[in-house]
Amino acid sequence: MKRNDVNRDKLSPMMRHYVELKDKYEDTIILYRLGDFYEMFFEDAEVVSHALELTLTGKSAGLEERVPMCGIPHHAAEVYIDKLIKKGFKVAICEQLEDPKFAKGIVKRDITEIISSGTIINANSLNEKENNYIGFLYDFEYGVVLTYSDITTGEIYSEILEKNNTDIIYKVLSLEIKELVTNTTTDKVLIGSLKDNKVPISYNDNLLDNEYTNIYEDITDDRVIKSIKYLLYYLNIDQKRELSHFQKVKIIKKNDFMEMDIHTKRNLELTENLRTKERTYSLLWLLDNTKTAMGSRRLKSFIENPLLDITEINKRYNIVTNLLEDFITAEELRNDLYEVYDLERLCGRISFGSASAKDLLQLKSSLKVLPSIKEKLSKIKYYDTIDTLDDLYDLLEKSIYEEPPNSLKEGYLIKEGYSSELDELKSLSKGGKDFISKFEIEERERTGIKNLKVGFNKVFGYFIEVSKGNLNLITDDMGYIRKQTLANCERFITPLLKEKEDLILSAEDKIINLEYDLFCGIRDKCKEYISVLQKIAKVISEVDVLESFALVSEKYNYVRPTITSTNEINVIESRHPVVEKVLKGEEYVPNDIIMDKDTDILLITGPNMAGKSTYMRQLGIISIMAQIGCFVPAREATLPIFDKIFTRIGASDDLVSGESTFMVEMKEASRAIRFATKNSLILFDELGRGTATFDGMSLAEAILEYIANNIKCKTLFSTHYHELTDMEKTLKNLKNKHVSAVEEEGNITFLHKVKDGCVDKSYGINVAKLAGLPTSVIERADSILKTYESKEKKKDVYIQTTLPLNFEEHSSVVEEELKKIDILNITPIDAINILSKLKEKIK
């Protein structure tokens, strides 16, 4: 049965209200509150019963036929909602807005919140170690603005991107945005590609004006402001979210942090390993010894956004150094941090009005250790301080019970002494209950019934229970009024018991309602401290990360690097931090990475499995560790600041368009060549292997020449094309390196040591032998190899050291001027003026 196929005039008032609500929320599952259940009807019932494996039943709604219906218990709703969100649904909660006891006619109900993958606030449904971002993509003529926020913490960021669909998709995937909102007019091809990559898409074409303006009051770019307003409308109006805890928007600029695309982050296994896509065996896994959920999230942000400012990097180094030197204070600080709960997300729940008594107790526990943390921050000379909020701690200490119930409507929330009115009601209630105990004793004596007892239930209230065998002892003059007959007993009331019942129950209702009101007042008071709590959270999370750096540095013998403004690399006895830890008992073979001001490229040869990729990766990882403020795995390290890292490591097809490995290789090489600067780092592992040998070799040589002559940035390039090693003779800034191996009687031993010079053999057959290929296959391959080598010697093969391909770009004056224009930051008038000047130059 479909909602739109029924005669609505025949529907019951409640069901008519439901279908009117559903008309407004077509793409959303409505959970309609009826008593102790949330119920779903018509198409929603059919979809949800299938998705959650619930029984599909029916409900009488005024029609001849029962309408489809399924339901879930109110107290267990979070579990079911979480499952629906994970399956890609949006869920709207329709609550009762008045007490059914006092409602006249149909109980008033309305949508109180909408939950989607980007707006989950339930702590049990979230990964505490990751942000849960929702983004808005604003498409303007020649670019896009991506604004994204974690509503659980109040963080909000905005970034202008060039209009390149692949780059936009990679950015969204890199941020792991859980839900992307956009205008209905946004490029359909882009939206289609995002959907293909499993990014949930929602739409909104409305701006939120004149509310929450403090979030963007410092922004002057109208495009950014529009994007923020679109996102705020979706969250505040469509999703019905309170946003008072939102912080000022932070504009992300390219020159603030090291640039790394999604391939670099994945190839270097910064936050997840390539094989399982999990944290284990990633750099994040290695460095995360944080004590707070906030610290863990901040560490992930640090790793994905290495600094470019030497001063800021050295400030972090100084704190790590102080923590290592004052190890007693460091240990005490770690113990204090362990007592701090997730202040960022507690602020979110307080703002949303969903914080429970247990949340406020977590806040109190966190506040309790702030004075101790503040003292230790001073000892380690930390570059910021915190407010200890003693008055807020005192409020929570004297008001909230240490062991409150899960629900806010059960009482036992507020301590005695906080409210005189509440204390009076509790005294009255206690006196009534004392009367009940005394009444039971007196009635046993009066009637002579030793097992007489006074009980209570929600249906009949207080009653006197007498067993069947003692009914003959009840006489008319006792004033007992029969209330209920059971199989083995009778239940009675008396006028006096009824009078006290009314008094007790009235007091208990008043206690529950008053405690709830008092609790809401306390929660609202906490709301006034949100901005201060968020600042405290930021300081604590950063200290937690630096504590983790100190702990790891001490445990694995890392050293403080020296950051230099010159373009030189001098890392002595460097190690790959994750591989070193995974090897456990085995001894890791360290290697020097030395590139002076006259060396831009290291061309690395050597057999597979010898350690070329590890050697390249460890330079990338050490550079990132250095630029996030962490000590590095080496005996000594001097490093420059890298503005960008480009990698091509491993053979994998394209994430977005499904292109071949070779096409992806060429695209990533093109990206590096186009965007790398003299201060960038390029790591290319066996580039060109995805095509025919001479094609691949020619392209590899041409790319190396271009980097050496035009970009001159630090580059590590591994290859099996041994002919390329001749380039050392013609390119002064290229040096050959090789990973050594020893062959004895057909068996190969990898030494994992990187040495100067090159090798002229790949040892491919030896590696195949190690892998366990059948002996007959190995022997046949060796025979074929000797044949090829014999033929090759007879040929006079000439490998050009310089290809006759002109990679120099001959550009006119006009082209040079066009390159200087930043199209994302000029006005239409500026553009017209520039165009006029360029026309004059052409003349």
Side-chain angles (χ1 to χ4, degrees):
M1 183 187 297
K2 305 298 180 187
R3 183 179 85 255
N4 291 328
D5 294 341
V6 303
N7 184 345
R8 296 192 177 190
D9 293 335
K10 292 183 178 181
L11 290 173
S12 63
M14 183 278 292
M15 191 58 69
R16 196 176 305 126
H17 177 249
Y18 168 82
V19 295
E20 287 169 359
L21 270 182
K22 185 62 186 173
D23 290 341
K24 298 176 186 177
Y25 298 94
E26 287 282 356
D27 63 340
T28 306
I29 302 293
I30 294 180
L31 270 58
Y32 198 82
R33 180 71 178 271
L34 288 169
D36 289 334
F37 283 83
Y38 285 118
E39 295 184 0
M40 290 138 278
F41 309 103
F42 295 105
E43 296 93 332
D44 278 5
E46 293 170 353
V47 168
V48 172
S49 64
H50 182 265
L52 300 183
E53 298 180 3
L54 301 175
T55 302
L56 181 66
T57 180
K59 186 178 185 73
S60 298
L63 303 174
E64 292 179 10
E65 194 179 342
R66 287 157 65 88
V67 303
M69 184 269 280
C70 72
I72 57 175
H74 168 257
H75 66 273
E78 283 184 359
V79 176
Y80 293 101
I81 292 170
D82 190 33
K83 288 180 181 178
L84 287 172
I85 299 301
K86 285 179 179 174
K87 288 178 178 288
F89 296 102
K90 286 185 190 176
V91 176
I93 308 297
C94 180
E95 286 287 2
Q96 296 172 171
L97 302 182
E98 58 183 345
D99 192 327
K101 293 179 190 173
F102 309 111
K104 294 180 180 179
I106 185 171
V107 177
K108 288 181 182 176
R109 296 178 177 84
D110 203 354
I111 303 296
T112 55
E113 73 174 308
I114 297 175
I115 307 167
S116 56
S117 52
T119 57
I120 299 170
I121 59 171
N122 173 26
N124 296 326
S125 305
L126 292 166
N127 183 340
E128 66 172 12
K129 295 190 174 185
E130 292 181 1
N131 284 104
N132 197 72
Y133 286 130
I134 181 170
F136 192 94
L137 190 69
Y138 172 54
D139 189 349
F140 58 91
E141 278 189 48
Y142 44 87
V144 298
V145 182
L146 179 62
T147 297
Y148 53 98
S149 171
D150 183 340
I151 71 165
T152 66
T153 65
E155 299 164 279
I156 181 167
Y157 305 91
S158 199
E159 183 174 1
I160 296 177
L161 305 171
E162 291 184 13
K163 205 165 189 177
N164 178 307
N165 284 5
T166 300
D167 288 349
I168 294 167
I169 293 166
Y170 285 153
K171 184 69 180 180
V172 171
L173 294 177
S174 180
L175 288 168
E176 299 178 56
I177 288 178
K178 301 298 189 293
E179 180 181 2
L180 188 67
V181 190
T182 189
N183 301 122
T184 52
T185 55
T186 300
D187 177 20
K188 299 297 183 288
V189 174
L190 172 59
I191 297 304
S193 296
L194 285 163
K195 287 180 177 177
D196 290 343
N197 280 276
K198 313 299 182 191
V199 178
I201 303 292
S202 301
Y203 296 95
N204 170 50
D205 291 319
N206 298 304
L207 299 164
L208 186 69
D209 285 315
N210 306 319
E211 286 189 70
Y212 303 115
T213 55
N214 60 299
I215 294 170
Y216 54 84
E217 62 187 0
D218 300 330
I219 309 298
T220 56
D221 193 317
D222 286 340
R223 299 164 301 184
V224 174
I225 292 173
K226 262 194 169 182
S227 177
I228 296 166
K229 285 182 173 182
Y230 278 126
L231 180 59
L232 294 181
Y233 185 96
Y234 180 78
L235 294 174
N236 184 236
I237 306 301
D238 287 352
Q239 301 287 89
K240 299 183 180 294
R241 298 292 181 181
E242 164 69 39
L243 307 177
S244 59
H245 68 299
F246 265 39
Q247 303 166 43
K248 286 186 182 295
V249 68
K250 184 173 182 180
I251 303 298
I252 303 296
K253 296 178 181 175
K254 285 191 173 181
N255 57 358
D256 287 346
F257 305 104
M258 177 196 286
E259 283 185 50
M260 299 180 287
D261 64 16
I262 192 170
H263 296 294
T264 297
K265 292 175 182 177
R266 287 182 174 174
N267 287 334
L268 295 180
E269 299 183 301
L270 297 184
T271 59
E272 62 180 26
N273 76 68
L274 278 168
R275 191 167 56 85
T276 66
K277 307 299 181 190
E278 294 176 350
R279 268 189 174 217
T280 310
Y281 306 133
S282 68
L283 179 63
L284 177 59
W285 164 78
L286 175 80
L287 296 182
D288 194 355
N289 283 270
T290 55
K291 297 298 181 183
T292 68
M294 302 177 293
S296 190
R297 292 195 299 271
R298 189 74 61 199
L299 173 60
K300 186 170 187 283
S301 176
F302 273 22
I303 291 172
E304 293 180 330
N305 300 282
L307 299 173
L308 300 180
D309 188 325
I310 294 179
T311 303
E312 290 298 314
I313 294 170
N314 277 314
K315 279 169 67 176
R316 292 182 184 176
Y317 287 162
N318 291 340
I319 302 303
V320 175
T321 299
N322 294 344
L323 287 165
L324 286 169
E325 290 175 351
D326 191 351
F327 56 88
I328 294 175
T329 299
E331 181 62 28
E332 290 173 350
L333 182 54
R334 272 193 286 274
N335 293 335
D336 286 344
L337 291 172
Y338 186 72
E339 300 299 321
V340 178
Y341 287 87
D342 195 339
L343 290 177
E344 289 178 330
R345 286 186 167 162
L346 283 174
C347 285
R349 292 200 287 280
I350 290 168
S351 173
F352 296 139
S354 63
S356 66
K358 289 184 178 179
D359 287 329
L360 296 195
L361 287 177
Q362 288 183 359
L363 176 59
K364 186 184 81 170
S365 297
S366 304
L367 295 175
K368 186 177 182 179
V369 293
L370 291 188
S372 178
I373 290 174
K374 183 176 182 177
E375 179 192 346
K376 292 172 181 62
L377 293 184
S378 176
K379 281 187 179 180
I380 63 169
K381 298 180 176 62
Y382 187 69
Y383 42 80
D384 207 343
T385 188
I386 56 172
D387 190 332
T388 55
L389 297 183
D390 298 333
D391 52 344
L392 180 58
Y393 174 78
D394 290 340
L395 170 65
L396 295 173
E397 170 63 19
K398 70 183 182 184
S399 61
I400 308 294
Y401 268 129
E402 271 70 24
E403 295 183 7
N406 292 323
S407 168
L408 299 179
K409 294 291 184 75
E410 294 178 31
Y412 300 100
L413 291 174
I414 308 299
K415 287 181 176 178
E416 290 181 16
Y418 180 72
S419 165
S420 57
E421 183 185 356
L422 180 62
D423 290 347
E424 285 178 17
L425 285 170
K426 285 183 176 179
S427 176
L428 188 63
S429 176
K430 185 176 183 297
K433 288 181 179 177
D434 288 344
F435 166 82
I436 297 296
S437 299
K438 186 179 177 184
F439 178 79
E440 184 179 74
I441 295 169
E442 289 175 349
E443 287 302 300
R444 284 177 181 174
E445 291 177 357
R446 185 162 78 97
T447 61
I449 302 170
K450 301 301 182 186
N451 64 353
L452 177 149
K453 63 181 180 181
V454 177
F456 174 84
N457 67 34
K458 289 184 178 180
V459 177
F460 293 107
Y462 285 99
F463 53 81
I464 301 166
E465 187 172 286
V466 179
S467 63
K468 293 278 188 183
N470 290 315
L471 287 178
N472 62 316
L473 298 176
I474 301 297
T475 59
D476 293 340
D477 61 333
M478 290 180 181
Y480 278 33
I481 304 167
R482 183 174 276 101
K483 189 73 175 177
Q484 187 183 17
T485 301
L486 300 177
N488 59 350
C489 67
E490 293 277 351
R491 288 176 175 175
F492 303 88
I493 61 168
T494 68
L496 180 60
L497 182 60
K498 188 64 182 172
E499 179 187 336
K500 287 295 182 182
E501 175 190 278
D502 293 340
L503 187 67
I504 294 167
L505 295 183
S506 172
E508 289 186 348
D509 281 344
K510 286 178 181 177
I511 287 169
I512 288 171
N513 292 330
L514 180 56
E515 286 207 347
Y516 178 74
D517 291 341
L518 289 169
F519 175 81
C520 290
I522 295 164
R523 189 167 61 190
D524 288 343
K525 187 67 179 175
C526 293
K527 201 171 178 179
E528 297 173 13
Y529 291 85
I530 281 179
S531 60
V532 182
L533 286 167
Q534 287 173 331
K535 183 178 183 298
I536 293 169
K538 182 177 182 296
V539 171
I540 286 177
S541 64
E542 290 195 8
V543 170
D544 197 9
V545 172
L546 298 180
E547 269 275 21
S548 187
F549 288 168
L551 190 66
V552 171
S553 298
E554 182 181 35
K555 186 175 182 180
Y556 300 117
N557 196 28
Y558 296 168
V559 299
R560 176 172 178 161
T562 300
I563 303 296
T564 175
S565 55
T566 62
N567 197 23
E568 295 181 49
I569 298 173
N570 189 54
V571 186
I572 307 302
E573 294 184 12
S574 71
R575 293 116 53 199
H576 189 298
V578 178
V579 175
E580 179 185 39
K581 181 177 178 181
V582 172
L583 283 175
K584 295 179 182 176
E586 298 177 47
E587 187 176 346
Y588 188 92
V589 180
N591 278 297
D592 298 345
I593 307 174
I594 301 172
M595 301 177 78
D596 59 26
K597 58 184 174 57
D598 298 320
T599 305
D600 293 325
I601 301 172
L602 296 183
L603 183 64
I604 308 162
T605 50
N608 288 319
M609 292 176 61
K612 298 192 300 296
S613 295
T614 301
Y615 180 72
M616 297 169 72
R617 277 191 174 102
Q618 73 194 41
L619 175 58
I621 288 175
I622 286 171
S623 300
I624 289 165
M625 289 174 70
Q627 286 180 228
I628 64 175
C630 186
F631 289 9
V632 300
R635 181 165 61 82
E636 180 187 330
T638 300
L639 292 157
I641 292 288
F642 290 116
D643 62 355
K644 304 171 187 177
I645 296 183
F646 299 93
T647 66
R648 178 58 196 172
I649 300 173
S652 60
D653 290 343
D654 185 66
L655 292 165
V656 175
S657 57
E659 291 165 335
S660 70
T661 299
F662 181 66
M663 174 58 82
V664 175
E665 279 188 5
M666 291 302 101
K667 280 193 170 185
E668 290 182 20
S670 169
R671 185 179 180 82
I673 285 171
R674 284 186 296 125
F675 298 117
T677 70
K678 182 176 172 58
N679 298 318
S680 299
L681 174 64
I682 295 177
L683 306 173
F684 280 162
D685 188 17
E686 299 182 32
L687 195 70
R689 65 182 168 181
T691 187
T693 302
F694 287 109
D695 278 356
M697 193 190 309
S698 303
L699 284 164
E701 186 168 348
I703 287 167
L704 279 168
E705 280 184 4
Y706 189 85
I707 292 170
N709 295 327
N710 296 64
I711 305 172
K712 300 180 180 177
C713 68
K714 298 302 183 190
T715 302
L716 269 58
F717 195 111
S718 74
T719 186
H720 282 302
Y721 300 136
H722 299 113
E723 295 83 354
L724 295 179
T725 57
D726 288 343
M727 296 179 74
E728 188 180 52
K729 300 171 186 173
T730 57
L731 297 176
K732 293 182 180 179
N733 56 349
L734 181 148
K735 281 190 169 49
N736 284 323
K737 293 278 183 180
H738 73 277
V739 186
S740 55
V742 176
E743 183 184 9
E744 293 179 350
E745 299 179 0
N747 296 314
I748 188 170
T749 303
F750 300 116
L751 302 180
H752 302 295
K753 201 70 182 172
V754 178
K755 300 180 179 179
D756 290 336
C758 59
V759 295
D760 58 359
K761 189 172 181 181
S762 289
Y763 300 101
I765 290 176
N766 306 78
V767 173
K769 186 177 179 182
L770 278 179
L773 277 178
T775 304
S776 59
V777 174
I778 297 295
E779 290 173 351
R780 175 59 181 151
D782 190 45
S783 172
I784 294 170
L785 176 64
K786 286 173 181 173
T787 304
Y788 279 132
E789 287 175 342
S790 173
K791 286 180 181 179
E792 199 67 25
K793 286 174 184 174
K794 292 176 184 177
K795 293 180 184 177
D796 185 16
V797 179
Y798 173 70
I799 304 297
Q800 288 180 210
T801 55
T802 304
L803 292 173
L805 293 174
N806 188 2
F807 263 72
E808 292 186 13
E809 298 178 4
H810 298 288
S811 56
S812 66
V813 175
V814 172
E815 287 174 331
E816 290 300 321
E817 289 293 324
L818 285 171
K819 286 179 182 177
K820 295 176 185 175
I821 299 170
D822 183 357
I823 61 169
L824 296 179
N825 291 297
I826 63 169
T827 64
I829 294 297
D830 291 337
I832 291 169
N833 290 334
I834 292 169
L835 186 60
S836 175
K837 289 177 185 176
L838 292 178
K839 284 188 73 176
E840 289 300 316
K841 289 189 177 184
I842 291 172
K843 290 178 184 178

